[in-house]
Amino acid sequence: MNLGTLLDPTSALFWITAGAALLILEVLMPAFLALGFGIGAWVVAVVLLIAPEGMFSVSALMLVWAVASAASWIILRVVFKNRFSGSDGGEGDINEY
């Protein structure tokens, strides 16, 4: 591994590292801000590992990252909507049962 590969946005290693950094940043932050972006970066890494080398330009990869990040944000919002909205998910007080 050389530093040029790590800094090249058309390599899968760049996106794997970026995704890992964003997920580590998510652990340090009090909100779900970087989680969708980290998942989107890993989706781009998977696309680069599957696709033939040189198939995507940097702008196309950024578009894939934006779409994958937005999709992961929508999915995470649907999945975790009740958990973090302040709603307990129940109809009444637990002492009533």
Side-chain angles (χ1 to χ4, degrees):
M1 172 179 90
N2 74 35
L3 188 60
T5 304
L6 188 60
L7 297 176
D8 180 21
T10 59
S11 72
L13 185 60
F14 172 84
W15 291 100
I16 291 170
T17 306
L22 286 166
L23 293 178
I24 290 170
L25 183 66
E26 178 63 43
V27 171
L28 300 174
M29 294 173 49
F32 282 119
L33 184 63
L35 186 61
F37 296 119
I39 293 170
W42 281 355
V43 168
V44 173
V46 169
V47 167
L48 283 172
L49 289 172
I50 293 172
E53 190 168 336
M55 183 175 174
F56 291 103
S57 66
V58 175
S59 59
L61 292 174
M62 295 300 281
L63 179 64
V64 171
W65 180 52
V67 170
S69 296
S72 65
W73 267 102
I74 292 169
I75 292 168
L76 288 170
R77 181 157 172 85
V78 168
V79 169
F80 292 113
K81 183 172 89 172
N82 289 336
R83 181 174 298 221
F84 297 107
S85 66
S87 168
D88 63 355
E91 290 289 323
D93 189 12
I94 193 166
N95 294 326
E96 293 177 1
Y97 299 112

